[in-house]
Amino acid sequence: MAGEKPRVTRRGFLAASGVALLGAAVAGSAGHAAAGPGTARLGDFWLFGRYDDGCTEPGFDEIDLAPVQLPHCVTPLSWTGWDPASWQDRWIYRKHFTGLANERFLARFDGVLTNAEVHLNGRPVATHEGGYLPFEVDLPGVLPGDNVLAVVVDGRWALDVPPNLPHSAGPSAIDFYQPAGIYRPAAIGTVPRTRLTDVFARPVDVLSPGRSLHLTCTLDGPGAAEVTASVRQAGRELARGAAQVPAGTRTVEFDVHGLDAVRLWDVEDPALCDVVVTIRSGPRALDQRVVRVGFREARFAQDGFFLNGRRLKLFGLNRHQWYPFAGGAAPDRVQRRDAEILRRELNCTMVRCSHYPQSSAFLDACDELGLLVWEEIPGWGRVGDAAWQQRNLRDVSAMITRDRNHPSIIVWGTRVNEANGTTAMYGRTGRLARQLDPSRPTSGALASTTGARYAGADIEVLAYNDYTARRGAPFQLRPPRAGVPYLVTESIGTLAGARAYRRTDLPATQRLQAELHAKAHDLAAADDRYCGLLAWCAFDYPSGWQRSMGGSKFAGVSDIFRIPKPAAAFYATQGDPLVRPVVEPGFAWDFTASPTGPGRDAPIWSNCDRLLLFLDDRPAGEARSRRADFPHLPHPGFAVDLTVPRGQRPQLRVDGYLGDRLVVSRRFSGDRARDVLSCAADDTQLRADGADATRVVVAAMDRFGTLRAGATGTVTLSLTGQGELVGDRELDFGATGGAAAVWLRPFAGPPGKLTLTARHETLGTATATVTTTASGSEGGSRS
Ligand code: GAL
């Protein structure tokens, strides 16, 4: 359908059907205008297989290659116990596309793990090292007619690329597995001969009415005479500015004034602005980019963190990007969902992207939801040789250039996590960061093992992974280091309390995790010198670090399926009860493990003022506030003594009050005979573009809808409709703790319907249905 007019979207030009969508695919918050028709769309089929001699040649026999769609992982995975041998190899991805005479073609990759070698029609055109940052490849010599882009993907550990260290014990030498593949979006398409390759729009003097926006625009190609910028908020233009482009200039800087009416960006009101930047030659527009910014002042000080001049205790978790079955290859919608879980369900004001730059879709969602971000370069525990450190510098540059327009990002982790590199090395990364972005501080998380020492003079935020409290000892945090802004970037994890927190672990272990998270945040809240605390961690993740755990780290407050564990209840209750009143018992109302109930001092997490209890609808007392245990938390929760005579299984009801007003009432059934199976999709509508997907949670529930973690047995799944089930067809509830999830991914094609049916021997059958809209239409809505 070449010749159709591209539609303008927030992120740039989304091409009409069959036409390239460059820009939208890779640029994150920076959209890009594609001037002409291309051929490949995100999610279109690529041919994939193991590397073979001649596989980059145009005439290679493709009979043994499989059609796949991006994002893609080279190997199917389970939800735990990943085997690095399954991805540690060289792989080939081939894409046929139709070239056009007199057009400039470009390929863009958001992320390829770990190294990529790009060939066009048998000719090597580029290489890229490192799996977490985007790269673009100019494709000179595209022929009219059929062309082949071949990408050799090398997923072996032996590569001397951060976070990998070649002289260490392989993929288990660091605490997260990294399955290979073109695992983030990619696209091939045409671009204008003269184009904008980058726009950095930096808000200046944000809190004064004379605030402005400083623009740094990078151009590629001849003939542009003028750059214009229009700043828009909520559909209205607030201000505009322009600058001339002297001949031969690559970078143009100018300021846009008149922004006194702008609404500031804040965690509670993340008001964004679009900045539409156009380059022109006379009246003719040569290229256009839309970047999204937010006006906010984020300040780390010795007495805390301040957002727009207001003290804000940073309350959050670390996030790894790994998913069951797909590794890192989760599409945008699924990435965005993690940000929603963190902000809306767990009430976090901040997330740390541990330990590498994460997907643009995730960061876009952080901007939209008001979730502050720590972003850091790839690395874990050690630094490598001079060449390796050189790659750190390149990563600092690529990370900041990709992400500096995101208002959610408030600090750059320019030092390798828990690796005390040299002062000279950190001096270099820090200087480069300041040059690329003078508006944010730099930092890097220090390890407990080395203490809160830092060998450099220019420290802006001292970040400390505080595992001072070891297993079995009373929980404590190290006192803040004086004379410097201080942030706790990790705590708890599996180093304090227990080695693993699974729904299948003892009730006391599961309770303990919630207690530790509450205690850590309470201690951080007690002292203004803590800017905040980001605990370890949001979601379980595959790792070979603790082999005794079978290839996973069960450190999350939610599991790897993103299903909350009891510790998540603490986070869920730290939000405003007027927005979402929550009552979450910290115990299972299940008489199998404890026949007389949860016993004395059983925790109930809640943000209500008062909780009244009922057993079989008969009053059973009022819960005690835990204010004395957690003096500084907004909502310290409650404790109750709940012992019932052996053999009885009464129904528990908890009524939550704000003042005299009943705001929430929940019932919990002790009768497992009436448990049911539930099957619930996060979204009711998806785009049939081959990339979009949604999660379906399959869980054993009591008859009031509370997860029955002690359920066992196998759930068998079947899918009808044009799509793929990303996940196991059999889920073992005994191993996952009564709940698990799979993802549904419609094939690219016409609209339709996907129905997932789940069957369990005693819990019955449940279904989830998702409708799919034609690719390109604005599909997608929440259930
Ligand atoms: C920290 C590390 C994290 C994680 C944690 C243990 O030292 O920074 O990535 O491994 O320990 O759960």
Side-chain angles (χ1 to χ4, degrees):
M1 289 221 250
E4 277 187 29
K5 239 180 135 46
R7 280 187 308 113
V8 180
T9 69
R10 183 189 64 70
R11 295 176 70 184
F13 282 62
L14 185 69
S17 161
V19 182
L21 59 86
L22 279 187
V26 178
S29 55
H32 189 276
T39 47
R41 286 177 302 153
L42 168 68
D44 265 359
F45 287 108
W46 289 61
L47 293 169
F48 165 76
R50 252 176 226 276
Y51 180 87
D52 199 356
D53 286 345
C55 64
T56 58
E57 294 302 318
F60 181 69
D61 183 352
E62 294 171 330
I63 189 86
D64 290 332
L65 300 183
V68 298
Q69 289 182 274
L70 306 184
H72 179 257
C73 177
V74 297
T75 180
L77 296 160
S78 178
W79 66 276
T80 186
W82 294 357
D83 178 7
S86 65
W87 65 78
Q88 287 222 75
D89 207 340
R90 297 178 81 200
W91 308 86
I92 181 72
Y93 289 82
R94 287 169 63 94
K95 176 81 210 166
H96 286 262
F97 67 97
T98 308
L100 296 158
N102 303 321
E103 290 286 354
R104 178 178 177 187
F105 275 80
L106 201 81
R108 302 164 67 116
F109 298 87
D110 256 13
V112 179
L113 268 164
T114 294
N115 284 4
E117 211 181 272
V118 184
H119 300 250
L120 175 67
N121 299 329
R123 200 163 37 84
V125 285
T127 56
H128 183 265
E129 295 168 331
Y132 299 94
L133 286 158
F135 59 99
E136 285 189 354
V137 182
D138 235 312
L139 300 176
V142 166
L143 309 167
D146 188 46
N147 291 263
V148 182
L149 192 78
V151 185
V152 178
V153 171
D154 197 337
R156 291 173 297 180
W157 170 264
L159 307 165
D160 189 4
V161 174
N164 300 6
L165 292 160
H167 305 301
S168 54
S172 301
I174 64 170
D175 185 33
F176 52 95
Y177 280 143
Q178 309 169 78
I182 304 185
Y183 79 106
R184 286 184 183 161
I188 307 166
T190 56
V191 290
R193 294 262 162 224
T194 298
R195 62 187 199 112
L196 275 161
T197 55
D198 185 58
V199 171
F200 177 26
R202 177 167 59 87
V204 178
D205 284 340
V206 167
L207 299 187
S208 102
R211 67 184 66 89
S212 60
L213 191 67
H214 184 76
L215 281 143
T216 309
C217 305
T218 312
L219 281 66
D220 178 22
E226 192 194 24
V227 189
T228 59
S230 158
V231 183
R232 301 173 185 179
Q233 192 167 50
R236 204 165 60 86
E237 180 172 276
L238 297 180
R240 54 170 49 222
Q244 298 306 305
V245 184
T249 310
R250 277 212 63 206
T251 305
V252 181
E253 298 196 40
F254 60 105
D255 295 302
V256 180
H257 297 279
L259 289 159
D260 38 324
V262 84
R263 217 165 87 219
L264 296 187
W265 185 96
D266 198 273
V267 288
E268 302 303 340
D269 178 21
L272 292 159
C273 293
D274 278 340
V275 185
V276 183
V277 178
T278 311
I279 50 171
R280 294 174 197 283
S281 165
R284 196 161 61 94
L286 301 175
D287 195 12
Q288 188 171 78
R289 227 170 220 259
V290 185
V291 298
R292 207 167 58 166
V293 299
F295 285 76
R296 92 287 179 278
E297 188 201 71
R299 191 163 58 83
F300 287 87
Q302 291 178 33
D303 60 343
F305 172 77
F306 296 83
L307 185 64
N308 299 331
R310 180 175 60 92
R311 178 189 300 283
L312 176 71
K313 187 65 75 174
L314 298 169
F315 175 81
L317 290 159
N318 283 259
R319 177 211 185 218
H320 264 306
Q321 68 174 14
W322 314 106
Y323 292 84
F325 317 120
D332 289 0
R333 183 192 300 276
V334 177
Q335 302 280 349
R336 296 175 64 90
R337 175 89 186 127
D338 272 7
E340 285 167 19
I341 291 171
L342 286 159
R343 183 76 188 103
R344 296 209 173 120
E345 295 175 17
L346 302 179
N347 294 303
C348 291
T349 51
M350 187 165 179
V351 59
R352 174 168 174 228
C353 294
S354 52
H355 300 295
Y356 36 76
Q358 301 191 354
S359 98
S360 294
F362 177 76
L363 295 172
D364 282 347
C366 293
D367 290 344
E368 290 159 25
L369 293 161
L371 180 61
L372 299 167
V373 175
W374 162 301
E375 190 176 37
E376 68 192 26
I377 50 170
W380 196 86
R382 275 173 55 197
V383 297
D385 59 11
W388 193 94
Q389 292 175 30
Q390 203 50 44
R391 294 190 181 108
N392 273 167
L393 272 177
R394 189 211 51 178
D395 288 345
V396 167
S397 169
M399 171 177 80
I400 296 180
T401 309
R402 187 191 74 163
D403 289 332
R404 55 194 170 174
N405 289 317
H406 287 284
S408 55
I409 297 175
I410 54 171
V411 53
W412 301 117
T414 54
R415 297 178 209 129
V416 174
N417 174 63
E418 295 194 347
N420 285 3
T422 64
T423 311
M425 172 185 169
Y426 291 144
R428 280 195 298 274
T429 53
R431 273 194 303 279
L432 176 61
R434 275 185 290 279
Q435 195 185 315
L436 292 165
D437 175 17
S439 71
R440 292 175 179 89
T442 62
S443 189
L446 300 173
S448 296
T449 43
T450 53
R453 288 196 311 267
Y454 175 64
D458 62 342
I459 185 140
E460 294 170 285
V461 178
L462 194 141
Y464 187 56
N465 292 350
D466 193 336
Y467 293 106
T468 314
R470 289 285 162 161
R471 241 187 298 287
F475 190 85
Q476 52 171 319
L477 289 178
R478 193 189 172 284
R481 153 100 172 253
V484 64
Y486 187 88
L487 175 70
V488 180
T489 27
E490 290 182 30
S491 192
I492 311 159
T494 56
L495 297 174
R499 283 171 74 79
Y501 299 99
R502 291 162 290 209
R503 270 193 302 278
T504 50
D505 285 314
L506 292 174
T509 305
Q510 299 190 55
R511 266 190 214 181
L512 178 64
Q513 193 188 18
E515 294 291 316
L516 292 174
H517 280 264
K519 191 70 197 164
H521 283 291
D522 185 69
L523 291 173
D527 188 330
D528 280 350
R529 292 172 303 162
Y530 291 106
C531 290
L533 181 137
L534 313 174
W536 194 264
C537 60
F539 312 117
D540 293 347
Y541 55 96
S543 161
W545 182 249
Q546 254 181 0
R547 282 178 204 219
S548 58
M549 289 296 156
S552 284
K553 273 303 257 299
F554 299 100
V557 301
S558 297
D559 65 18
I560 191 169
F561 304 106
R562 281 63 177 156
I563 301 170
K565 302 179 195 172
F570 155 68
Y571 286 89
T573 55
Q574 298 309 297
D576 184 351
L578 294 171
V579 177
R580 193 166 69 105
V582 183
V583 167
E584 284 294 344
F587 51 84
W589 192 244
D590 182 333
F591 298 89
T592 317
S594 31
T596 55
R600 291 184 57 78
D601 290 325
I604 302 186
W605 298 101
S606 177
N607 51 3
C608 295
D609 297 340
R610 239 163 28 104
L611 299 182
L612 298 185
L613 273 70
F614 301 83
L615 290 175
D616 282 338
D617 284 327
R618 280 189 296 276
E622 182 168 346
R624 301 185 292 282
S625 165
R626 298 191 65 194
R627 180 51 78 203
D629 293 336
F630 306 116
H632 306 97
L633 291 178
H635 304 288
F638 296 84
V640 290
D641 300 328
L642 269 176
T643 306
V644 301
R646 202 172 274 271
Q648 291 187 14
R649 286 163 161 46
Q651 186 191 102
L652 170 67
R653 188 177 108 207
V654 186
D655 286 356
Y657 285 83
L658 284 182
D660 291 337
R661 200 158 55 89
L662 176 68
V663 288
V664 53
S665 179
R666 289 193 63 192
R667 289 170 186 270
F668 305 89
S669 170
D671 177 7
R672 290 184 60 166
R674 297 177 72 179
D675 286 357
V676 293
L677 191 66
S678 127
C679 185
D682 285 341
D683 302 273
T684 53
Q685 219 175 68
L686 296 176
R687 287 182 307 276
D689 63 2
D692 204 6
T694 192
R695 177 182 69 154
V696 183
V697 174
V698 182
M701 297 279 191
D702 79 358
R703 67 194 179 95
F704 301 114
T706 294
L707 200 161
R708 185 73 79 191
T712 55
T714 302
V715 175
T716 311
L717 300 175
S718 57
L719 180 67
T720 58
Q722 292 303 303
E724 183 191 353
L725 173 70
V726 183
D728 292 342
R729 285 190 177 262
E730 291 199 339
L731 304 173
D732 175 3
F733 270 1
T736 61
V742 294
W743 280 258
L744 301 186
R745 185 177 179 174
F747 296 139
K753 198 161 85 174
L754 293 178
T755 301
L756 183 75
T757 305
R759 290 191 180 82
H760 182 276
E761 208 182 10
T762 55
L763 298 168
T765 298
T767 60
T769 298
V770 171
T771 58
T772 64
T773 59
S775 147
S777 65
E778 289 298 314
S781 59
R782 280 271 119 84
S783 56

